[in-house]
Amino acid sequence: RLHHSSTQLSLKGKIMERLADKSPGAKPKMKKTKRKEEERQRKAAVQAEKLRPPSIFFGDSLDLENWYSCGEGEVSEIESDAGSPSPPRFNIHPLYQHVLLYLQMYDSSRALHALSAIAAMLRAAPSGFVSSISTTSINNTYTPQLSLLQNLLARHRVSVMGKDFYCPISQDLHSHSFRSAMYLEIIISLCLYFLRSYYSAHVAAGAQDLAGNRAMQLTSVEVLTLLFSELSKVTGGSAKGFASFISDVLSKCKVQKVVLHCLLSSIFSAQKWHEQRVAGVNVASVEEGLSEDSVINLSEDQIDSCSAVQSQLLRLLQSLVVLEHRVLLPAEEGGEVEHVNPQQPMKSLQYLHGQPITAQGMFLCAVIRALHQHHTCKMHPQWIGLITATLPYMGRVLRRVVASVTLQLCRNLDNLLHQYRYETGISETRPQWMALCIPPDLTLTVLEGITAIIHYCLLDPTSQYHQLQVSVDQKHLSEARSGILSILHTIMSSVTLLWSVLYQADNSDKPAAASASYTSNINLGSTKNLRQQILELLGPISMNHGAHFMAAIAYVWNERKQVKASVRNKVIPVASEEQLLLVELVRSVSAMRIETVMQTVKEVLKQPPATAKDKKHLSLEVCMLQFFYAYVQRIPASSLVDSWPSLLALLKDSIQLGLPAPGQFLILGVLNEFILKNPNLENKKDQRELQDVTHKVVEAIGTIAGSSLEQTTWLRRNLEVKASPQIVVEGANLEADVEDLMLTVTETSSFTPSVYSVHALTLLAEVLAHLLDMVFYSDEKEKVIPLLVNIMHYVVPYLRNHSAHNAPSYRACIQLLSSLSGYQYTRRAWKKEAFDLFMDHTFFQMDSSCVSHWRSIIDHLMTHDKTTFRDLMTRVAVAQSSSLSLFTNRDAELEQRAMLLKRLAFTIYSSEVDQYQKYLPDIQERLVESLRLPQVPILHAQVFLFFRVLLLRMSPQHLTSLWPTMITELVQVFLLMEQELTADEDISRTSGPSVAGLETTYSGGNGFSTSYNSQRWLNLYLSACKLLDLALTLPPESLPQFQMYRWAFIPEASDDSGLEVRRQGTHQREFKPYVVRLVKLLRKRAKKNPEEDCSTRTLSWEPGHLMLTLYVIRSMEQLLPFFNLLSHVFNSKASSRSGSSYSHGSSDTGFPAHKEGHKLESQKVFWSRARQNIEEMVEKDFLEGLIKT
C-alpha cells in the first residue's frame, strides 16, 4: 500500500420503522431473529476514516510517533480494504478511525430492550445459548423475517462502506454475503456496531438520547464479555475445528481491532480533555476545520472521562485475550508468526493481523499510557488487574510487557510517594505531577500489582495459576525472569522509598492537630499492611534470587548516600539515615537470616550480577560491603558469634578476590567490628583462623598503604615516597575523592592505585593497635612482631619525608605509630626506627597537629625501658665534652649540640611533671656547659627554650638551684640588647656609666657590631623575651623564686622609676628596670626607621595568656609592642598593690563567684585552661617550617 494521507468519509442515513410481530410461542431462535430486525432497523452509521494527525503532545513513556503511526497508509481498513480515497477535509486523529456516526435520532430504549433480552438469555443458560447460536446459520430455513434480516445486513454493509442505505442492492450481494453466517457472528458484529456508534455533533440529540446511546454501548460490551467468557469455556472441550471457526469469526468481525481502537481512543480522549481542563480552553473554540470533537458528540463520555466504558472494555479485553489464547494456539505453533520482526509489533500502533492481542503494539501502548495518566488514577487498579490476569497468556512478549509495566508502576509509586512527602512537608521539592482524586488504597494496589507481576516471573507460576490449566512456555518465562532481574534495582529503589516513607509516617512526632495543616491527597492507610505487602514481595525474591536481591540493595545503597559529605574524616563512610533503613529492611525479611546474608554477600562479591550500571565508577562490590559493614554493626553480638563460620568464609574469599581498595578497607572494618563485639572465641581452632585471616587482611591493607612508595636501589629494599599528590582523607565518600584522580591516573589493573595509600594508613592508625591486641592473646604476642615489622617497613619512609605533598601520609603514619607505641609488646618492631627518626635533623619539620602524637611516642620510647633516656643524655654529654678539634667544622658541631639539646628538651616536654626530676642535676650541668661557650646564640636560644620547658615540667621547689642561672642569663641578654641599641646611637652619648665595666660572656671575640643583626642573635633575643613572658604569665605561687627578681625586669606599681633622686653627696642614678630602658631605646630607633615602625602595633594583655606570640623576628623593633605592654600593664597604679594580685584580680573578674570554695574551683579551671594554651604555644616553638616542595 502507498503511504499517503487520505480521507474517506462515508456518510449514510436511513430510517426504517418496520417492526416484526413477536409471537410468544416462537422458538428461541426465531425470537432472536426478530430482535435482530428491530435493532437493524434503527441503525445509521458513518465511518470517519483516518486523516492527518493533529499535533498532540504526549508524556514520556512511549515514542510520540506511536500515537500517530496507527493506520499509516491504510484506508477505511476497519471495515474493508476497498474504497476510494478522497482529498483530505478533516483534521481527525487516526485513533478515531473506528467510530461510526448516527446521522439522525434513533429509539435507543427499544434497541436496549432487545439487547438486554439477549444478555438475560446469556446469563440464564450460557452454554446452551452459545452452542445454539454458534451452530445455527441464519440461512437454515427460509422465512420472511430471515429474508428481511439478510437484506438489512446487506444494506448495513453498503452503508458502512459509504453508499446510501436505500440504494438498490443486487440480489447477488444480498444472498451471498450472509448465507453462511451463524447467529454468533451477527450478534458480535451488531454489538461492535453499537459499541462504535456515536451521535454526530450535527444531530440535535438531547441529554436523554446521549445517555441512551451510552447505555447501548455499555450493554453491548456486556453481551460481548459474557459471550467470550462462555466461548472460551466451550472451546476448551471441543474439537479443533470449532476453535478455528471461532478464530475466523473473530477476525472476520475484526473484534480485536475494534476493541483495541475503542480502548486507545478512550485513553486519548481522557488525556485531551484533561489538558484542556488544565489549560482552561473552551472546547468549542479549538475546532479548527473538522476535528473529532466537532464531528463526534462525545459529551456523554466527557462527563466521567470515559471511565465507565473503559472499565467495561477492560473486562471485555480480558475475556477476549483468554478466548484468543484458546483459539489461536494452533496457529502460533505454525511458522506464520516467525517472519514478523520481533521489535516491530510493539512499536507500531497499527493492528497486525495474525498476532494475538498481547503482542500488539496497541495493547502495550494502551496499558502504559493509561498507567501514565495521573488524572485517571482511579482507573489504575483495573488496568493492573487486566495485566495480572492476562500474564499467562502473554506468550513471547511476556518479557517486554512485564518490564515496561513494572517500570511504569514503579514510576507511579515513586510519584505518589514524592507527592505524599511534598504534601506532608517532609520534602521541599515539588513532584513532576500532582494527582488529585486518588483511591484510598492506590498505594497498596500498585504494590500488589508489582508483587503479582514479579512473583509470576521469578517464582514457579504453576503454583499460582494452576487453576487456569495454562501451559506456560518456559523459554518465555526465563526471558521474562532475566528481564525482571535486570530492572530489580529500580524496583528495589521504589520499594525502599516506600519503606522509608512508612518509617517517617510511623515516627513523625506531629500530633493530629498539627499535621492537619499538612493534609495529603494520598492516604497511606495502615502502614502495617503496606509493610506486610513489601515483605511479601521481597521474601520470595530473596529466597530464590538472593544474589540479585542483595545486588539491588547495594545499588540502592549507593543511590541513597548523602549528598553532603559528613564532617568527620572517615575512611569508611558513615551510613546515612536512609541507608540504615535498608539494613532494617533486610533484617525484617524473614528469609534473610544472618548466615544467608553473609553467603549472599559472598556470592555478590564473587560474581556481581550484571545490573544496569549508571556510573562507570560505581563498584557494586564496594557498595555491597558498605551495606554489609553497616549490617554487621547493627546485629546483636550473640547472633554475630553464632554465624562466625559464614563470616570467616566471607572474609577468606574476599581477600583472594582482589577487590578495589575501598572494598578491602571495608573488610578490615567488618573484621574490626566483629572483634569489638566478640573479643574471644572459645574454640582454639576458631581463634587460630581468626588470627590467620587478620594477618592476611592487615597485610593486604599494608600493601595498599605502601603503594605510594617506590624502590630507590635495586639491591636493598630501600623505599622512598613518590613525588605525586596525595589525597587527604575527607568526607563520607571515598570514590568521590578519588574519581578525578582516577581519570588522570591510568594504571594497570594489577597495581593498586596509590591514590588510596593515605586512606589505608589512616584506617590502620584507627584500628590496627587495638585489633591486634584483641586477636592475639597475651601468650601469643610474639606472632604480632613480624607483621608489625612488615607494616613499619611501609610506614618509616613516609615519616622520613617532610615535604608538603607528603603531609597527609605523614599525619596518618604518626597516628599509627602513636597508637602502636601504647602497647609495650610492640616495642621491638618500632623502637629503633622511632629513635632514628627522633635524631634526624629534620625531625621538627612537621605540622602542629602531629606534635601530640610524637609526644606520646617519645614518652613511650623513653619510659618503657630505662636505657633509652640515659642513651640520649649520654649523647648530649659526649657532644659537649668532645673538644673542638682542628678538623671539625665549628658551626656544624654547635648545631649538633643545639639539636641534641632541643631533643632533650622535647623529651622532658613529652613527660609527666617531675618525671625526670632525679636527672635534674645532670640536666642542669648540661645547660651550664652550653652557656659557658661564648658567642653561640644558636645554642643559647635552645637553652632558653629548655628553661621554659623546665618551668612547665618541674615543681618549683626542684628548680631553686636553677633560678640564679636563669636570671643571670636573662640579664645578660637584656644588657646585650641595650648595648646593641645604644651602640647604634651617637658614640659620645653612649660612653655613659651604664656600659662601663660590662664584662659579659658575649663581649669577647670581635665585638657585637658585625654579627648582632644576624638572624641567630634575633632568635636569641626572642627566646629570652619569651622566657620572661612565661615567667610573668604563670601564677606567682608556682614561681615563688622569680618574684624576688621581678623588680629587675619590670616596673612595679610602687616604683617611681625614672625619677632621679639627688642623694646628699652622691649623683648616683636610681636603678631602672630593663624593660623601661629598652622601651626608651627601641622607641628612639623606631622613630629613625619609620618604615619599620612597630610602635603603632599594640598587644593586649590577658591574664593566663602569653603576650609574645611571634615565632620569628626580622628586627628588634618587632619586640617594641611587647616591651610597651610590660611597661604599662605592671606600672599602672590601678593594678592594685601586691605583685601577685593581678592574676587573682583577673580571675575574680572572670568568675563572679559568691562562695569562697566556688571561687577556688573556678580558679582551678581557669588555670588548667590557661596552662593548656601556654603549652600549645611552647609546643609550636619546637617546630621548624615544613620544607615546601
Side-chain angles (χ1 to χ4, degrees):
R1 283 191 199 137
L2 293 173
H3 280 258
H4 60 332
S5 229
S6 66
T7 310
Q8 177 185 359
L9 193 70
S10 333
L11 295 167
K12 137 124 203 26
K14 81 170 175 83
I15 314 160
M16 230 176 171
E17 287 303 326
R18 200 170 130 308
L19 286 170
D21 65 279
K22 299 175 202 157
S23 53
K27 288 189 304 194
K29 281 179 192 166
M30 284 310 295
K31 186 172 176 185
K32 273 175 264 167
T33 316
K34 292 163 193 163
R35 292 276 157 81
K36 304 281 185 325
E37 294 169 49
E38 294 172 30
E39 290 157 22
R40 275 294 180 206
Q41 289 160 1
R42 320 184 190 89
K43 179 88 173 152
V46 164
Q47 183 184 18
E49 197 34 84
K50 155 183 175 324
L51 296 147
R52 181 173 57 75
S55 56
I56 293 164
F57 171 72
F58 279 87
D60 54 0
S61 274
L62 287 157
D63 303 320
L64 291 180
E65 60 179 26
N66 287 356
W67 280 104
Y68 317 137
S69 62
C70 129
E72 285 282 344
E74 48 183 303
V75 180
S76 179
E77 202 229 310
I78 290 264
E79 290 315 320
S80 146
D81 296 340
S84 54
S86 55
R89 290 171 304 173
F90 287 107
N91 184 16
I92 293 178
H93 195 278
L95 284 176
Y96 293 98
Q97 68 172 359
H98 63 290
V99 173
L100 303 176
L101 295 179
Y102 294 118
L103 292 185
Q104 56 199 58
M105 314 291 287
Y106 76 104
D107 184 353
S108 57
S109 55
R110 290 170 68 188
L112 189 59
H113 177 69
L115 200 53
S116 306
I118 292 181
M121 278 187 269
L122 250 173
R123 281 200 196 85
S127 56
F129 183 77
V130 167
S131 55
S132 57
I133 59 169
S134 315
T135 51
T136 313
S137 155
I138 59 167
N139 214 14
N140 66 342
T141 49
Y142 185 78
T143 62
Q145 281 99 335
L146 278 173
S147 172
L148 177 60
L149 181 61
Q150 288 181 10
N151 184 11
L152 284 173
L153 286 167
R155 283 187 182 283
H156 272 290
R157 191 87 187 129
V158 297
S159 159
V160 169
M161 294 316 299
K163 302 206 179 70
D164 186 17
F165 189 83
Y166 297 112
C167 70
I169 297 175
S170 65
Q171 186 57 35
D172 179 33
L173 179 70
H174 173 203
S175 56
H176 285 307
S177 284
F178 295 96
R179 186 175 298 160
S180 62
M182 298 289 168
Y183 281 113
L184 174 69
E185 191 183 324
I186 290 165
I187 290 179
I188 290 175
S189 45
L190 274 179
C191 286
L192 289 178
Y193 276 150
F194 280 121
L195 174 58
R196 291 155 61 193
S197 300
Y198 289 86
Y199 276 112
S200 159
H202 307 294
V203 173
Q208 209 173 347
D209 299 306
L210 291 170
N213 189 49
R214 163 60 80 82
M216 277 305 293
Q217 289 176 335
L218 292 173
T219 313
S220 48
V221 177
E222 190 187 356
V223 169
L224 288 173
T225 310
L226 290 165
L227 193 56
F228 292 154
S229 309
E230 190 52 41
L231 274 174
S232 54
K233 286 179 201 161
V234 174
T235 45
S238 53
K240 258 193 171 179
F242 184 63
S244 58
F245 158 69
I246 298 291
S247 178
D248 289 347
V249 169
L250 291 179
S251 63
K252 197 169 170 189
C253 299
K254 300 189 164 43
V255 181
Q256 296 97 317
K257 185 167 186 178
V258 172
V259 171
L260 284 172
H261 263 285
C262 291
L263 203 54
L264 265 176
S265 62
S266 74
I267 297 168
F268 180 72
S269 303
Q271 169 95 8
K272 195 172 56 179
W273 293 324
H274 170 71
E275 278 163 13
Q276 286 171 355
R277 264 201 306 278
V278 169
V281 182
N282 180 4
V283 181
S285 65
V286 286
E287 294 170 6
E288 302 165 12
L290 283 166
S291 73
E292 56 271 13
D293 291 324
S294 61
V295 178
I296 311 165
N297 191 337
L298 293 166
S299 51
E300 189 70 26
D301 272 348
Q302 207 166 342
I303 295 167
D304 66 349
S305 296
C306 298
S307 59
V309 174
Q310 204 181 79
S311 59
Q312 291 296 329
L313 278 171
L314 290 174
R315 289 178 54 210
L316 169 60
L317 192 60
Q318 189 178 323
S319 59
L320 188 55
V321 167
V322 179
L323 175 61
E324 197 183 52
H325 183 78
R326 295 258 192 278
V327 299
L328 273 186
L329 211 53
E332 206 173 356
E333 285 159 13
E336 58 182 281
V337 182
E338 295 310 313
H339 69 276
V340 182
N341 172 6
Q343 292 303 312
Q344 188 240 343
M346 307 306 271
K347 286 272 180 266
S348 158
L349 284 200
Q350 207 166 334
Y351 183 81
L352 301 162
H353 293 285
Q355 295 289 327
I357 288 179
T358 48
Q360 300 284 349
M362 296 172 86
F363 172 74
L364 184 58
C365 174
V367 175
I368 297 295
R369 185 47 52 189
L371 290 175
H372 184 75
Q373 291 181 342
H374 57 92
H375 46 88
T376 58
C377 57
K378 61 172 189 277
M379 288 298 297
H380 289 182
Q382 297 182 45
W383 282 96
I384 294 170
L386 168 72
I387 289 292
T388 48
T390 53
L391 282 173
Y393 309 107
M394 290 290 175
R396 63 194 167 77
V397 294
L398 181 63
R399 171 175 182 157
R400 185 173 292 185
V401 172
V402 294
S404 333
V405 172
T406 309
L407 282 174
Q408 185 57 51
L409 287 176
C410 288
R411 227 170 277 151
N412 286 7
L413 187 57
D414 284 352
N415 282 325
L416 283 171
L417 295 174
H418 287 316
Q419 181 174 342
Y420 175 80
R421 289 172 64 169
Y422 177 70
E423 288 175 338
T424 50
I426 296 171
S427 151
E428 298 297 311
T429 47
R430 189 186 164 85
Q432 288 171 318
W433 49 256
M434 305 273 278
L436 294 172
C437 45
I438 300 173
D441 61 344
L442 185 61
T443 319
L444 187 59
T445 312
V446 171
L447 195 56
E448 282 171 345
I450 295 175
T451 308
I453 295 173
I454 293 176
H455 285 187
Y456 175 79
C457 297
L458 296 188
L459 311 181
D460 181 17
T462 47
S463 55
Q464 297 165 289
Y465 288 90
H466 57 89
Q467 71 279 11
L468 295 172
Q469 289 101 35
V470 182
S471 61
V472 179
D473 187 333
Q474 287 304 316
K475 181 171 130 256
H476 299 152
L477 196 62
S478 65
E479 279 175 12
R481 184 167 298 161
S482 61
I484 286 287
L485 289 176
S486 71
I487 57 166
L488 192 58
H489 60 278
T490 314
I491 300 165
M492 285 299 293
S493 183
S494 302
V495 172
T496 49
L497 182 66
L498 174 58
W499 185 266
S500 66
V501 166
L502 293 177
Y503 176 79
Q504 285 162 334
D506 285 346
N507 294 3
S508 64
D509 310 329
K510 292 178 197 154
S515 58
S517 56
Y518 288 118
T519 46
S520 173
N521 286 311
I522 296 163
N523 179 5
L524 283 179
S526 153
T527 51
K528 187 177 164 209
N529 290 353
L530 283 169
R531 276 176 202 278
Q532 200 49 46
Q533 186 58 44
I534 290 177
L535 296 176
E536 260 173 49
L537 161 64
L538 299 181
I541 302 178
S542 63
M543 275 162 85
N544 294 285
H545 301 276
H548 284 89
F549 172 75
M550 285 313 263
I553 289 275
Y555 184 90
V556 178
W557 177 271
N558 183 57
E559 270 187 353
R560 299 270 189 277
K561 67 181 173 214
Q562 283 164 318
V563 187
K564 288 176 187 153
S566 61
V567 190
R568 288 192 64 191
N569 294 354
K570 279 283 190 185
V571 179
I572 296 177
V574 182
S576 67
E577 210 164 294
E578 290 205 320
Q579 287 177 325
L580 294 179
L581 284 174
L582 286 176
V583 177
E584 287 312 307
L585 175 59
V586 172
R587 288 186 61 191
S588 308
V589 177
S590 54
M592 296 308 274
R593 299 198 331 280
I594 296 179
E595 282 95 340
T596 321
V597 171
M598 290 175 179
Q599 284 151 11
T600 317
V601 168
K602 188 172 77 179
E603 274 175 55
V604 175
L605 295 180
K606 274 187 167 171
Q607 208 174 3
T611 52
K613 287 196 176 183
D614 290 0
K615 289 167 69 181
K616 291 195 293 290
H617 298 302
L618 166 67
S619 162
L620 194 71
E621 297 95 320
V622 174
C623 298
M624 189 74 268
L625 282 166
Q626 283 176 355
F627 163 80
F628 184 61
Y629 176 66
Y631 178 79
V632 169
Q633 282 180 313
R634 266 153 201 79
I635 50 182
S638 54
S639 35
L640 191 55
V641 181
D642 297 342
S643 50
W644 164 244
S646 307
L647 181 60
L648 178 68
L650 169 66
L651 293 170
K652 274 184 174 167
D653 283 7
S654 312
I655 300 166
Q656 292 158 7
L657 286 175
L659 294 170
Q664 300 198 30
F665 300 156
L666 286 155
I667 289 171
L668 181 58
V670 168
L671 179 63
N672 188 45
E673 204 55 46
F674 174 78
I675 287 160
L676 289 176
K677 286 194 171 180
N678 173 51
N680 42 2
L681 293 163
E682 266 81 64
N683 188 331
K684 274 274 157 59
K685 178 169 170 283
D686 288 348
Q687 189 64 30
R688 269 202 307 282
E689 289 191 314
L690 175 62
Q691 291 172 357
D692 192 38
V693 88
T694 306
H695 202 287
K696 284 181 179 162
V697 173
V698 171
E699 281 205 321
I701 306 282
T703 313
I704 300 171
S707 58
S708 286
L709 303 172
E710 58 191 353
Q711 202 143 329
T712 48
T713 53
W714 61 277
L715 274 173
R716 285 179 305 148
R717 277 185 80 191
N718 197 6
L719 297 176
E720 269 186 18
V721 183
K722 289 180 196 166
S724 61
Q726 295 180 349
I727 295 138
V728 190
V729 182
E730 266 168 18
N733 193 7
L734 261 185
E735 284 82 51
D737 288 348
V738 177
E739 221 160 80
D740 318 326
L741 274 165
M742 288 292 233
L743 300 175
T744 52
V745 183
T746 48
E747 311 243 13
T748 53
S749 55
S750 61
F751 184 66
T752 316
S754 58
V755 285
Y756 285 112
S757 59
V758 184
H759 298 105
L761 290 164
T762 310
L763 183 61
L764 286 174
E766 279 174 23
V767 302
L768 183 64
H770 183 252
L771 179 79
L772 296 178
D773 190 46
M774 302 280 268
V775 174
F776 293 90
Y777 295 162
S778 49
D779 52 340
E780 301 169 315
K781 299 293 188 197
E782 285 301 303
K783 296 182 187 170
V784 181
I785 302 300
L787 176 60
L788 285 180
V789 168
N790 229 347
I791 296 286
M792 286 305 293
H793 177 72
Y794 291 123
V795 168
V796 175
Y798 288 114
L799 291 176
R800 283 208 196 98
N801 187 321
H802 293 268
S803 57
H805 81 79
N806 185 50
S809 296
Y810 186 91
R811 212 169 300 137
C813 287
I814 201 61
Q815 272 175 299
L816 172 57
L817 186 52
S818 164
S819 63
L820 287 174
S821 71
Y823 295 93
Q824 176 127 21
Y825 68 89
T826 62
R827 187 179 173 79
R828 266 172 47 206
W830 57 269
K831 172 189 161 183
K832 181 181 174 296
E833 285 80 359
F835 195 76
D836 290 351
L837 286 165
F838 185 44
M839 287 300 147
D840 185 50
H841 65 98
T842 56
F843 174 74
F844 285 110
Q845 292 168 3
M846 58 176 134
D847 191 357
S848 55
S849 61
C850 303
V851 182
S852 56
H853 296 300
W854 265 119
R855 276 171 61 181
S856 74
I857 294 167
I858 297 299
D859 190 26
H860 293 138
L861 179 70
M862 300 295 173
T863 49
H864 281 176
D865 67 7
K866 302 270 172 17
T867 55
T868 321
F869 183 71
R870 285 197 190 133
D871 182 24
L872 180 63
M873 287 294 289
T874 317
R875 285 192 183 210
V876 178
V878 168
Q880 290 184 343
S881 60
S882 61
S883 59
L884 297 170
S885 70
L886 294 171
F887 301 107
T888 50
N889 177 342
R890 182 166 188 273
D891 275 5
E893 187 156 331
L894 291 171
E895 269 185 31
Q896 172 72 8
R897 286 191 190 185
M899 187 191 95
L900 285 166
L901 211 52
K902 187 173 183 177
R903 296 217 172 4
L904 185 57
F906 188 73
T907 304
I908 290 170
Y909 178 67
S910 305
S911 67
E912 300 296 312
V913 174
D914 285 341
Q915 185 177 322
Y916 292 110
Q917 179 253 320
K918 60 178 179 182
Y919 293 102
L920 199 54
D922 274 3
I923 292 170
Q924 195 168 338
E925 202 179 315
R926 300 287 82 87
L927 292 175
V928 173
E929 271 178 18
S930 300
L931 291 170
R932 281 201 192 116
L933 289 176
Q935 287 286 353
V936 193
I938 178 172
L939 194 51
H940 295 177
Q942 293 308 331
V943 174
F944 280 112
L945 177 59
F946 213 132
F947 285 155
R948 286 158 69 203
V949 169
L950 290 173
L951 289 185
L952 293 171
R953 286 288 176 268
M954 297 286 169
S955 308
Q957 67 271 24
H958 298 137
L959 288 177
T960 312
S961 60
L962 200 62
W963 271 109
T965 317
M966 288 201 266
I967 299 294
T968 314
E969 289 309 312
L970 260 183
V971 170
Q972 296 285 23
V973 174
F974 283 148
L975 281 174
L976 204 55
M977 289 168 76
E978 193 178 351
Q979 272 179 302
E980 185 184 339
L981 289 168
T982 45
D984 286 357
E985 293 187 31
D986 186 9
I987 303 297
S988 62
R989 276 194 311 173
T990 51
S991 56
S994 62
V995 186
L998 253 188
E999 285 296 327
T1000 69
T1001 52
Y1002 298 98
S1003 60
N1006 52 4
F1008 344 107
S1009 49
T1010 54
S1011 57
Y1012 269 176
N1013 291 326
S1014 76
Q1015 189 57 48
R1016 288 178 173 185
W1017 288 102
L1018 288 171
N1019 290 350
L1020 172 63
Y1021 299 155
L1022 181 61
S1023 200
C1025 290
K1026 284 192 168 185
L1027 176 61
L1028 178 62
D1029 188 16
L1030 179 64
L1032 291 168
T1033 308
L1034 287 174
E1037 57 269 22
S1038 66
L1039 299 181
Q1041 300 92 335
F1042 176 69
Q1043 308 314 314
M1044 299 188 293
Y1045 304 105
R1046 275 172 69 113
W1047 57 269
F1049 301 105
I1050 55 167
E1052 294 295 346
S1054 56
D1055 275 356
D1056 291 331
S1057 58
L1059 291 182
E1060 281 191 20
V1061 181
R1062 295 257 182 232
R1063 306 243 172 104
Q1064 284 128 6
T1066 58
H1067 291 282
Q1068 211 175 357
R1069 191 177 292 178
E1070 196 182 84
F1071 174 78
K1072 288 183 192 169
Y1074 287 107
V1075 167
V1076 178
R1077 284 143 66 170
L1078 287 168
V1079 165
K1080 202 168 170 185
L1081 291 166
L1082 279 168
R1083 280 182 189 153
K1084 276 187 195 166
R1085 181 192 267 202
K1087 279 178 189 149
K1088 279 190 199 166
N1089 307 350
E1091 71 276 358
E1092 281 193 29
D1093 189 10
C1094 302
S1095 55
T1096 51
R1097 266 188 244 147
T1098 54
L1099 293 176
S1100 61
W1101 179 77
E1102 266 184 83
H1105 284 266
L1106 292 173
M1107 293 164 265
L1108 197 52
T1109 54
L1110 301 168
Y1111 294 112
V1112 65
I1113 52 171
R1114 297 272 169 253
S1115 71
M1116 248 203 272
E1117 284 86 336
Q1118 282 176 275
L1119 293 171
L1120 180 57
F1122 169 65
F1123 286 120
N1124 264 335
L1125 182 62
L1126 290 185
S1127 61
H1128 286 108
V1129 169
F1130 300 106
N1131 195 16
S1132 61
K1133 295 276 188 283
S1135 68
S1136 100
R1137 285 279 160 252
S1138 86
S1140 64
S1141 62
Y1142 72 91
S1143 53
H1144 293 307
S1146 69
S1147 47
D1148 287 351
T1149 51
F1151 307 98
H1154 303 296
K1155 297 195 186 79
E1156 194 62 34
H1158 194 79
K1159 193 155 127 187
L1160 282 170
E1161 184 57 37
S1162 61
Q1163 230 178 304
K1164 226 184 218 166
V1165 174
F1166 171 77
W1167 278 114
S1168 75
R1169 214 175 290 146
R1171 201 173 177 92
Q1172 207 176 336
N1173 291 337
I1174 292 170
E1175 293 209 358
E1176 274 171 26
M1177 298 298 295
V1178 174
E1179 194 172 272
K1180 285 183 181 154
D1181 275 322
F1182 279 105
L1183 297 184
E1184 296 155 16
L1186 280 172
I1187 301 169
K1188 297 284 178 275
T1189 50

